[in-house]
Amino acid sequence: MNTLFLRLEGPLQSWGLRARWGERDTTDAPTKSGVIGLLGCALGLRRDDARLRDLSDNLRMGVRVDLPGILMRDYHTTGGGRYSTIASPGRPRYHDEPYIGGVLSAEVTKGRIKVKINQKTGEPETDVSERYYLADASFLVALQGSPDYIGELAAAVQSPVWTLFLGRKACVPSTPIFAGMGQFDTLEDALKNLLLSPRVETAWQPSRPTHLRLLIETGPGAGNRQYDNIGTPSRRVFRARYVRETWLRLEDGPAPINTMEG
């Protein structure tokens, strides 16, 4: 088997591509870095493990958008709160003091990290951010690689070392992520396999779509460039990857294949 299928479906998903500081975006489909992170959790790899780059290099990824979902924005705050002890005005506060809430600064004095203080109130600072999510989306991801690689990953996804999530830890899946394995010549052929979840089948009942969007990893110059190929995990450095968008006509697709066989 050279192809692993993953069903990414849940109340919320978030696949950041350009997230910076106070704005945490999500793309409209799973990113490769996010999917590799999911596989890393299944294998028990820490975020600075060099094997994450190997995973990114040795797998090609395709995505089929079965349910695009709805974009949602969350007004998010971190920190704030009050100290449990009273201090003189202007005195700095540090991370090892008894306080409730607070945001750490980049200032360190003799091993103690200074806490950000609001200059007007004298209380711990609050950081505000906008975080974006996809609600009620469902994707079928196909990953192609060597049979040994695919077999190891399939076993890990079915018995993960750490909890699996859909982009962010708050985004839990609502259906089993492992969706089978198969042998296919191309990612397009793999994604023509009409593996559907009960949620997708129900959503399609009122109005079955005639086309499904496919996002296929390809070579340089043959698709749109996006930076979600893992480079240096420990420094959160990403490399360019090329993705080609195409459409699958459901009428042209083959009969469903049982990828759980063999």
PDB file of all heavy atoms in Angstrom, residues 79-116:
ATOM      1  N   GLY A  79      -3.818  36.145  29.454  1.00  0.00           N
ATOM      2  CA  GLY A  79      -3.216  36.893  30.550  1.00  0.00           C
ATOM      3  C   GLY A  79      -4.257  37.600  31.391  1.00  0.00           C
ATOM      4  O   GLY A  79      -5.341  37.079  31.642  1.00  0.00           O
ATOM      5  N   GLY A  80      -3.929  38.825  31.808  1.00  0.00           N
ATOM      6  CA  GLY A  80      -4.838  39.554  32.677  1.00  0.00           C
ATOM      7  C   GLY A  80      -4.797  39.000  34.095  1.00  0.00           C
ATOM      8  O   GLY A  80      -3.842  38.362  34.519  1.00  0.00           O
ATOM      9  N   GLY A  81      -5.840  39.234  34.862  1.00  0.00           N
ATOM     10  CA  GLY A  81      -5.914  38.729  36.223  1.00  0.00           C
ATOM     11  C   GLY A  81      -5.361  39.713  37.239  1.00  0.00           C
ATOM     12  O   GLY A  81      -5.017  40.851  36.920  1.00  0.00           O
ATOM     13  N   ARG A  82      -5.262  39.253  38.463  1.00  0.00           N
ATOM     14  CA  ARG A  82      -4.772  40.096  39.553  1.00  0.00           C
ATOM     15  C   ARG A  82      -3.778  39.324  40.409  1.00  0.00           C
ATOM     16  O   ARG A  82      -3.844  38.104  40.511  1.00  0.00           O
ATOM     17  CB  ARG A  82      -5.929  40.561  40.440  1.00  0.00           C
ATOM     18  CG  ARG A  82      -6.885  41.540  39.762  1.00  0.00           C
ATOM     19  CD  ARG A  82      -8.033  41.887  40.680  1.00  0.00           C
ATOM     20  NE  ARG A  82      -8.903  42.885  40.084  1.00  0.00           N
ATOM     21  CZ  ARG A  82      -8.723  44.187  40.181  1.00  0.00           C
ATOM     22  NH1 ARG A  82      -7.682  44.658  40.876  1.00  0.00           N
ATOM     23  NH2 ARG A  82      -9.554  45.036  39.614  1.00  0.00           N
ATOM     24  N   TYR A  83      -2.879  40.082  41.031  1.00  0.00           N
ATOM     25  CA  TYR A  83      -1.939  39.453  41.960  1.00  0.00           C
ATOM     26  C   TYR A  83      -2.620  39.128  43.285  1.00  0.00           C
ATOM     27  O   TYR A  83      -3.552  39.801  43.703  1.00  0.00           O
ATOM     28  CB  TYR A  83      -0.749  40.389  42.224  1.00  0.00           C
ATOM     29  CG  TYR A  83       0.226  40.457  41.088  1.00  0.00           C
ATOM     30  CD1 TYR A  83       0.189  41.510  40.186  1.00  0.00           C
ATOM     31  CD2 TYR A  83       1.168  39.457  40.907  1.00  0.00           C
ATOM     32  CE1 TYR A  83       1.080  41.573  39.134  1.00  0.00           C
ATOM     33  CE2 TYR A  83       2.060  39.503  39.859  1.00  0.00           C
ATOM     34  CZ  TYR A  83       2.020  40.558  38.983  1.00  0.00           C
ATOM     35  OH  TYR A  83       2.892  40.621  37.932  1.00  0.00           O
ATOM     36  N   SER A  84      -2.104  38.092  43.914  1.00  0.00           N
ATOM     37  CA  SER A  84      -2.637  37.725  45.227  1.00  0.00           C
ATOM     38  C   SER A  84      -1.941  38.495  46.353  1.00  0.00           C
ATOM     39  O   SER A  84      -2.334  38.403  47.505  1.00  0.00           O
ATOM     40  CB  SER A  84      -2.476  36.218  45.458  1.00  0.00           C
ATOM     41  OG  SER A  84      -1.105  35.852  45.383  1.00  0.00           O
ATOM     42  N   THR A  85      -0.895  39.249  46.013  1.00  0.00           N
ATOM     43  CA  THR A  85      -0.196  40.075  47.004  1.00  0.00           C
ATOM     44  C   THR A  85      -0.094  41.501  46.474  1.00  0.00           C
ATOM     45  O   THR A  85      -0.121  41.740  45.270  1.00  0.00           O
ATOM     46  CB  THR A  85       1.221  39.535  47.283  1.00  0.00           C
ATOM     47  OG1 THR A  85       1.957  39.492  46.050  1.00  0.00           O
ATOM     48  CG2 THR A  85       1.155  38.134  47.869  1.00  0.00           C
ATOM     49  N   ILE A  86       0.016  42.446  47.359  1.00  0.00           N
ATOM     50  CA  ILE A  86       0.113  43.856  46.984  1.00  0.00           C
ATOM     51  C   ILE A  86       1.585  44.258  46.940  1.00  0.00           C
ATOM     52  O   ILE A  86       2.369  43.921  47.821  1.00  0.00           O
ATOM     53  CB  ILE A  86      -0.643  44.736  47.987  1.00  0.00           C
ATOM     54  CG1 ILE A  86      -2.132  44.348  48.001  1.00  0.00           C
ATOM     55  CG2 ILE A  86      -0.484  46.210  47.640  1.00  0.00           C
ATOM     56  CD1 ILE A  86      -2.938  45.080  49.050  1.00  0.00           C
ATOM     57  N   ALA A  87       1.951  44.985  45.877  1.00  0.00           N
ATOM     58  CA  ALA A  87       3.337  45.447  45.742  1.00  0.00           C
ATOM     59  C   ALA A  87       3.348  46.962  45.633  1.00  0.00           C
ATOM     60  O   ALA A  87       2.358  47.591  45.261  1.00  0.00           O
ATOM     61  CB  ALA A  87       3.975  44.833  44.507  1.00  0.00           C
ATOM     62  N   SER A  88       4.484  47.559  45.968  1.00  0.00           N
ATOM     63  CA  SER A  88       4.616  49.012  45.852  1.00  0.00           C
ATOM     64  C   SER A  88       4.564  49.417  44.382  1.00  0.00           C
ATOM     65  O   SER A  88       5.003  48.663  43.511  1.00  0.00           O
ATOM     66  CB  SER A  88       5.931  49.460  46.471  1.00  0.00           C
ATOM     67  OG  SER A  88       7.022  48.816  45.831  1.00  0.00           O
ATOM     68  N   PRO A  89       4.007  50.602  44.102  1.00  0.00           N
ATOM     69  CA  PRO A  89       3.888  51.064  42.713  1.00  0.00           C
ATOM     70  C   PRO A  89       5.252  51.105  42.019  1.00  0.00           C
ATOM     71  O   PRO A  89       6.253  51.534  42.596  1.00  0.00           O
ATOM     72  CB  PRO A  89       3.296  52.466  42.853  1.00  0.00           C
ATOM     73  CG  PRO A  89       2.605  52.456  44.179  1.00  0.00           C
ATOM     74  CD  PRO A  89       3.436  51.567  45.048  1.00  0.00           C
ATOM     75  N   GLY A  90       5.284  50.631  40.779  1.00  0.00           N
ATOM     76  CA  GLY A  90       6.512  50.684  39.988  1.00  0.00           C
ATOM     77  C   GLY A  90       7.440  49.509  40.186  1.00  0.00           C
ATOM     78  O   GLY A  90       8.410  49.346  39.448  1.00  0.00           O
ATOM     79  N   ARG A  91       7.195  48.696  41.231  1.00  0.00           N
ATOM     80  CA  ARG A  91       8.083  47.553  41.434  1.00  0.00           C
ATOM     81  C   ARG A  91       7.784  46.483  40.393  1.00  0.00           C
ATOM     82  O   ARG A  91       6.625  46.139  40.168  1.00  0.00           O
ATOM     83  CB  ARG A  91       7.898  46.970  42.830  1.00  0.00           C
ATOM     84  CG  ARG A  91       8.920  45.866  43.165  1.00  0.00           C
ATOM     85  CD  ARG A  91       8.710  45.289  44.543  1.00  0.00           C
ATOM     86  NE  ARG A  91       7.581  44.375  44.606  1.00  0.00           N
ATOM     87  CZ  ARG A  91       7.620  43.095  44.217  1.00  0.00           C
ATOM     88  NH1 ARG A  91       8.721  42.588  43.694  1.00  0.00           N
ATOM     89  NH2 ARG A  91       6.556  42.336  44.337  1.00  0.00           N
ATOM     90  N   PRO A  92       8.815  45.915  39.747  1.00  0.00           N
ATOM     91  CA  PRO A  92       8.561  44.872  38.743  1.00  0.00           C
ATOM     92  C   PRO A  92       8.040  43.591  39.383  1.00  0.00           C
ATOM     93  O   PRO A  92       8.301  43.300  40.555  1.00  0.00           O
ATOM     94  CB  PRO A  92       9.944  44.662  38.109  1.00  0.00           C
ATOM     95  CG  PRO A  92      10.921  45.110  39.146  1.00  0.00           C
ATOM     96  CD  PRO A  92      10.247  46.248  39.873  1.00  0.00           C
ATOM     97  N   ARG A  93       7.301  42.841  38.596  1.00  0.00           N
ATOM     98  CA  ARG A  93       6.796  41.538  39.023  1.00  0.00           C
ATOM     99  C   ARG A  93       7.472  40.445  38.193  1.00  0.00           C
ATOM    100  O   ARG A  93       7.802  40.654  37.021  1.00  0.00           O
ATOM    101  CB  ARG A  93       5.287  41.466  38.808  1.00  0.00           C
ATOM    102  CG  ARG A  93       4.492  42.361  39.750  1.00  0.00           C
ATOM    103  CD  ARG A  93       4.405  41.758  41.141  1.00  0.00           C
ATOM    104  NE  ARG A  93       3.363  42.376  41.928  1.00  0.00           N
ATOM    105  CZ  ARG A  93       2.951  41.905  43.107  1.00  0.00           C
ATOM    106  NH1 ARG A  93       3.494  40.838  43.625  1.00  0.00           N
ATOM    107  NH2 ARG A  93       1.994  42.527  43.764  1.00  0.00           N
ATOM    108  N   TYR A  94       7.631  39.261  38.789  1.00  0.00           N
ATOM    109  CA  TYR A  94       8.340  38.180  38.106  1.00  0.00           C
ATOM    110  C   TYR A  94       7.491  36.901  38.081  1.00  0.00           C
ATOM    111  O   TYR A  94       6.534  36.761  38.854  1.00  0.00           O
ATOM    112  CB  TYR A  94       9.689  37.918  38.787  1.00  0.00           C
ATOM    113  CG  TYR A  94      10.629  39.094  38.690  1.00  0.00           C
ATOM    114  CD1 TYR A  94      10.674  40.047  39.709  1.00  0.00           C
ATOM    115  CD2 TYR A  94      11.436  39.259  37.578  1.00  0.00           C
ATOM    116  CE1 TYR A  94      11.528  41.145  39.617  1.00  0.00           C
ATOM    117  CE2 TYR A  94      12.302  40.354  37.483  1.00  0.00           C
ATOM    118  CZ  TYR A  94      12.339  41.288  38.498  1.00  0.00           C
ATOM    119  OH  TYR A  94      13.177  42.372  38.401  1.00  0.00           O
ATOM    120  N   HIS A  95       7.924  35.990  37.211  1.00  0.00           N
ATOM    121  CA  HIS A  95       7.116  34.794  36.949  1.00  0.00           C
ATOM    122  C   HIS A  95       6.984  33.875  38.156  1.00  0.00           C
ATOM    123  O   HIS A  95       6.034  33.099  38.251  1.00  0.00           O
ATOM    124  CB  HIS A  95       7.726  33.999  35.787  1.00  0.00           C
ATOM    125  CG  HIS A  95       8.942  33.209  36.172  1.00  0.00           C
ATOM    126  ND1 HIS A  95      10.181  33.780  36.379  1.00  0.00           N
ATOM    127  CD2 HIS A  95       9.105  31.883  36.418  1.00  0.00           C
ATOM    128  CE1 HIS A  95      11.059  32.835  36.713  1.00  0.00           C
ATOM    129  NE2 HIS A  95      10.440  31.682  36.740  1.00  0.00           N
ATOM    130  N   ASP A  96       7.925  33.935  39.104  1.00  0.00           N
ATOM    131  CA  ASP A  96       7.882  33.014  40.241  1.00  0.00           C
ATOM    132  C   ASP A  96       7.150  33.597  41.447  1.00  0.00           C
ATOM    133  O   ASP A  96       7.140  33.009  42.523  1.00  0.00           O
ATOM    134  CB  ASP A  96       9.301  32.600  40.641  1.00  0.00           C
ATOM    135  CG  ASP A  96      10.213  33.799  40.909  1.00  0.00           C
ATOM    136  OD1 ASP A  96       9.748  34.952  40.769  1.00  0.00           O
ATOM    137  OD2 ASP A  96      11.386  33.572  41.254  1.00  0.00           O
ATOM    138  N   GLU A  97       6.535  34.769  41.285  1.00  0.00           N
ATOM    139  CA  GLU A  97       5.732  35.338  42.357  1.00  0.00           C
ATOM    140  C   GLU A  97       4.301  34.813  42.288  1.00  0.00           C
ATOM    141  O   GLU A  97       3.830  34.419  41.216  1.00  0.00           O
ATOM    142  CB  GLU A  97       5.719  36.872  42.256  1.00  0.00           C
ATOM    143  CG  GLU A  97       7.075  37.504  42.473  1.00  0.00           C
ATOM    144  CD  GLU A  97       6.990  39.019  42.449  1.00  0.00           C
ATOM    145  OE1 GLU A  97       6.120  39.579  43.146  1.00  0.00           O
ATOM    146  OE2 GLU A  97       7.772  39.643  41.714  1.00  0.00           O
ATOM    147  N   PRO A  98       3.617  34.767  43.442  1.00  0.00           N
ATOM    148  CA  PRO A  98       2.228  34.259  43.432  1.00  0.00           C
ATOM    149  C   PRO A  98       1.269  35.247  42.786  1.00  0.00           C
ATOM    150  O   PRO A  98       0.946  36.280  43.358  1.00  0.00           O
ATOM    151  CB  PRO A  98       1.918  34.077  44.923  1.00  0.00           C
ATOM    152  CG  PRO A  98       2.819  35.053  45.619  1.00  0.00           C
ATOM    153  CD  PRO A  98       4.077  35.110  44.800  1.00  0.00           C
ATOM    154  N   TYR A  99       0.858  34.968  41.543  1.00  0.00           N
ATOM    155  CA  TYR A  99      -0.097  35.834  40.856  1.00  0.00           C
ATOM    156  C   TYR A  99      -1.057  34.978  40.050  1.00  0.00           C
ATOM    157  O   TYR A  99      -0.822  33.793  39.799  1.00  0.00           O
ATOM    158  CB  TYR A  99       0.617  36.840  39.949  1.00  0.00           C
ATOM    159  CG  TYR A  99       1.264  36.236  38.729  1.00  0.00           C
ATOM    160  CD1 TYR A  99       0.591  36.172  37.511  1.00  0.00           C
ATOM    161  CD2 TYR A  99       2.554  35.728  38.793  1.00  0.00           C
ATOM    162  CE1 TYR A  99       1.190  35.616  36.402  1.00  0.00           C
ATOM    163  CE2 TYR A  99       3.152  35.162  37.686  1.00  0.00           C
ATOM    164  CZ  TYR A  99       2.473  35.109  36.486  1.00  0.00           C
ATOM    165  OH  TYR A  99       3.061  34.546  35.386  1.00  0.00           O
ATOM    166  N   ILE A 100      -2.143  35.593  39.652  1.00  0.00           N
ATOM    167  CA  ILE A 100      -3.137  34.905  38.848  1.00  0.00           C
ATOM    168  C   ILE A 100      -3.160  35.560  37.475  1.00  0.00           C
ATOM    169  O   ILE A 100      -3.461  36.753  37.358  1.00  0.00           O
ATOM    170  CB  ILE A 100      -4.533  34.993  39.477  1.00  0.00           C
ATOM    171  CG1 ILE A 100      -4.492  34.396  40.884  1.00  0.00           C
ATOM    172  CG2 ILE A 100      -5.572  34.273  38.633  1.00  0.00           C
ATOM    173  CD1 ILE A 100      -5.763  34.616  41.675  1.00  0.00           C
ATOM    174  N   GLY A 101      -2.848  34.811  36.443  1.00  0.00           N
ATOM    175  CA  GLY A 101      -2.792  35.366  35.091  1.00  0.00           C
ATOM    176  C   GLY A 101      -1.459  36.027  34.827  1.00  0.00           C
ATOM    177  O   GLY A 101      -0.470  35.809  35.523  1.00  0.00           O
ATOM    178  N   GLY A 102      -1.424  36.862  33.805  1.00  0.00           N
ATOM    179  CA  GLY A 102      -0.198  37.560  33.462  1.00  0.00           C
ATOM    180  C   GLY A 102       0.413  37.045  32.166  1.00  0.00           C
ATOM    181  O   GLY A 102       0.231  35.894  31.787  1.00  0.00           O
ATOM    182  N   VAL A 103       1.152  37.932  31.482  1.00  0.00           N
ATOM    183  CA  VAL A 103       1.848  37.606  30.249  1.00  0.00           C
ATOM    184  C   VAL A 103       3.326  37.858  30.458  1.00  0.00           C
ATOM    185  O   VAL A 103       3.722  38.941  30.911  1.00  0.00           O
ATOM    186  CB  VAL A 103       1.324  38.462  29.068  1.00  0.00           C
ATOM    187  CG1 VAL A 103       2.094  38.155  27.798  1.00  0.00           C
ATOM    188  CG2 VAL A 103      -0.165  38.225  28.864  1.00  0.00           C
ATOM    189  N   LEU A 104       4.162  36.871  30.157  1.00  0.00           N
ATOM    190  CA  LEU A 104       5.597  37.012  30.373  1.00  0.00           C
ATOM    191  C   LEU A 104       6.221  37.893  29.303  1.00  0.00           C
ATOM    192  O   LEU A 104       5.818  37.881  28.142  1.00  0.00           O
ATOM    193  CB  LEU A 104       6.264  35.635  30.374  1.00  0.00           C
ATOM    194  CG  LEU A 104       5.750  34.638  31.423  1.00  0.00           C
ATOM    195  CD1 LEU A 104       6.549  33.345  31.346  1.00  0.00           C
ATOM    196  CD2 LEU A 104       5.827  35.229  32.824  1.00  0.00           C
ATOM    197  N   SER A 105       7.239  38.666  29.695  1.00  0.00           N
ATOM    198  CA  SER A 105       7.972  39.528  28.776  1.00  0.00           C
ATOM    199  C   SER A 105       9.257  38.822  28.337  1.00  0.00           C
ATOM    200  O   SER A 105       9.521  37.682  28.719  1.00  0.00           O
ATOM    201  CB  SER A 105       8.305  40.853  29.450  1.00  0.00           C
ATOM    202  OG  SER A 105       9.341  40.652  30.412  1.00  0.00           O
ATOM    203  N   ALA A 106      10.070  39.529  27.538  1.00  0.00           N
ATOM    204  CA  ALA A 106      11.357  38.978  27.094  1.00  0.00           C
ATOM    205  C   ALA A 106      12.492  39.354  28.045  1.00  0.00           C
ATOM    206  O   ALA A 106      13.640  38.979  27.819  1.00  0.00           O
ATOM    207  CB  ALA A 106      11.667  39.473  25.684  1.00  0.00           C
ATOM    208  N   GLU A 107      12.180  40.077  29.112  1.00  0.00           N
ATOM    209  CA  GLU A 107      13.210  40.533  30.055  1.00  0.00           C
ATOM    210  C   GLU A 107      13.452  39.481  31.142  1.00  0.00           C
ATOM    211  O   GLU A 107      12.511  39.015  31.790  1.00  0.00           O
ATOM    212  CB  GLU A 107      12.787  41.849  30.705  1.00  0.00           C
ATOM    213  CG  GLU A 107      12.617  42.999  29.719  1.00  0.00           C
ATOM    214  CD  GLU A 107      12.250  44.284  30.426  1.00  0.00           C
ATOM    215  OE1 GLU A 107      13.010  44.679  31.343  1.00  0.00           O
ATOM    216  OE2 GLU A 107      11.213  44.879  30.080  1.00  0.00           O
ATOM    217  N   VAL A 108      14.716  39.133  31.322  1.00  0.00           N
ATOM    218  CA  VAL A 108      15.099  38.131  32.319  1.00  0.00           C
ATOM    219  C   VAL A 108      16.174  38.738  33.225  1.00  0.00           C
ATOM    220  O   VAL A 108      17.170  39.288  32.741  1.00  0.00           O
ATOM    221  CB  VAL A 108      15.633  36.847  31.656  1.00  0.00           C
ATOM    222  CG1 VAL A 108      16.022  35.826  32.725  1.00  0.00           C
ATOM    223  CG2 VAL A 108      14.604  36.272  30.694  1.00  0.00           C
ATOM    224  N   THR A 109      15.974  38.653  34.529  1.00  0.00           N
ATOM    225  CA  THR A 109      16.934  39.163  35.511  1.00  0.00           C
ATOM    226  C   THR A 109      17.290  38.048  36.489  1.00  0.00           C
ATOM    227  O   THR A 109      16.428  37.583  37.241  1.00  0.00           O
ATOM    228  CB  THR A 109      16.352  40.370  36.281  1.00  0.00           C
ATOM    229  OG1 THR A 109      15.981  41.389  35.344  1.00  0.00           O
ATOM    230  CG2 THR A 109      17.383  40.918  37.256  1.00  0.00           C
ATOM    231  N   LYS A 110      18.540  37.604  36.448  1.00  0.00           N
ATOM    232  CA  LYS A 110      19.023  36.538  37.331  1.00  0.00           C
ATOM    233  C   LYS A 110      18.104  35.319  37.288  1.00  0.00           C
ATOM    234  O   LYS A 110      17.737  34.746  38.314  1.00  0.00           O
ATOM    235  CB  LYS A 110      19.150  37.054  38.760  1.00  0.00           C
ATOM    236  CG  LYS A 110      20.201  38.164  38.913  1.00  0.00           C
ATOM    237  CD  LYS A 110      20.311  38.616  40.358  1.00  0.00           C
ATOM    238  CE  LYS A 110      21.377  39.689  40.500  1.00  0.00           C
ATOM    239  NZ  LYS A 110      21.517  40.155  41.907  1.00  0.00           N
ATOM    240  N   GLY A 111      17.716  34.950  36.091  1.00  0.00           N
ATOM    241  CA  GLY A 111      16.897  33.750  35.913  1.00  0.00           C
ATOM    242  C   GLY A 111      15.414  33.946  36.158  1.00  0.00           C
ATOM    243  O   GLY A 111      14.644  32.994  36.065  1.00  0.00           O
ATOM    244  N   ARG A 112      15.011  35.171  36.492  1.00  0.00           N
ATOM    245  CA  ARG A 112      13.597  35.461  36.746  1.00  0.00           C
ATOM    246  C   ARG A 112      13.022  36.245  35.573  1.00  0.00           C
ATOM    247  O   ARG A 112      13.583  37.245  35.136  1.00  0.00           O
ATOM    248  CB  ARG A 112      13.434  36.246  38.041  1.00  0.00           C
ATOM    249  CG  ARG A 112      14.053  35.561  39.253  1.00  0.00           C
ATOM    250  CD  ARG A 112      13.938  36.449  40.462  1.00  0.00           C
ATOM    251  NE  ARG A 112      12.575  36.469  40.984  1.00  0.00           N
ATOM    252  CZ  ARG A 112      12.113  37.407  41.813  1.00  0.00           C
ATOM    253  NH1 ARG A 112      12.878  38.418  42.170  1.00  0.00           N
ATOM    254  NH2 ARG A 112      10.876  37.343  42.263  1.00  0.00           N
ATOM    255  N   ILE A 113      11.876  35.798  35.058  1.00  0.00           N
ATOM    256  CA  ILE A 113      11.253  36.423  33.896  1.00  0.00           C
ATOM    257  C   ILE A 113      10.272  37.487  34.365  1.00  0.00           C
ATOM    258  O   ILE A 113       9.390  37.216  35.183  1.00  0.00           O
ATOM    259  CB  ILE A 113      10.530  35.372  33.029  1.00  0.00           C
ATOM    260  CG1 ILE A 113      11.477  34.231  32.666  1.00  0.00           C
ATOM    261  CG2 ILE A 113       9.967  36.013  31.761  1.00  0.00           C
ATOM    262  CD1 ILE A 113      10.794  33.074  31.964  1.00  0.00           C
ATOM    263  N   LYS A 114      10.418  38.672  33.811  1.00  0.00           N
ATOM    264  CA  LYS A 114       9.554  39.776  34.201  1.00  0.00           C
ATOM    265  C   LYS A 114       8.176  39.623  33.556  1.00  0.00           C
ATOM    266  O   LYS A 114       8.045  39.222  32.405  1.00  0.00           O
ATOM    267  CB  LYS A 114      10.173  41.106  33.800  1.00  0.00           C
ATOM    268  CG  LYS A 114       9.430  42.321  34.329  1.00  0.00           C
ATOM    269  CD  LYS A 114      10.105  43.623  33.921  1.00  0.00           C
ATOM    270  CE  LYS A 114      11.440  43.780  34.636  1.00  0.00           C
ATOM    271  NZ  LYS A 114      12.027  45.132  34.349  1.00  0.00           N
ATOM    272  N   VAL A 115       7.150  39.946  34.325  1.00  0.00           N
ATOM    273  CA  VAL A 115       5.767  39.896  33.846  1.00  0.00           C
ATOM    274  C   VAL A 115       5.372  41.276  33.330  1.00  0.00           C
ATOM    275  O   VAL A 115       5.695  42.298  33.932  1.00  0.00           O
ATOM    276  CB  VAL A 115       4.824  39.462  34.987  1.00  0.00           C
ATOM    277  CG1 VAL A 115       3.373  39.510  34.539  1.00  0.00           C
ATOM    278  CG2 VAL A 115       5.180  38.059  35.456  1.00  0.00           C
ATOM    279  N   LYS A 116       4.655  41.298  32.198  1.00  0.00           N
ATOM    280  CA  LYS A 116       4.196  42.573  31.642  1.00  0.00           C
ATOM    281  C   LYS A 116       3.124  43.178  32.540  1.00  0.00           C
ATOM    282  O   LYS A 116       2.192  42.496  32.952  1.00  0.00           O
ATOM    283  CB  LYS A 116       3.630  42.369  30.239  1.00  0.00           C
ATOM    284  CG  LYS A 116       4.648  41.940  29.200  1.00  0.00           C
ATOM    285  CD  LYS A 116       3.993  41.799  27.836  1.00  0.00           C
ATOM    286  CE  LYS A 116       4.995  41.379  26.784  1.00  0.00           C
ATOM    287  NZ  LYS A 116       4.356  41.219  25.449  1.00  0.00           N
TER     288      LYS A 116
END
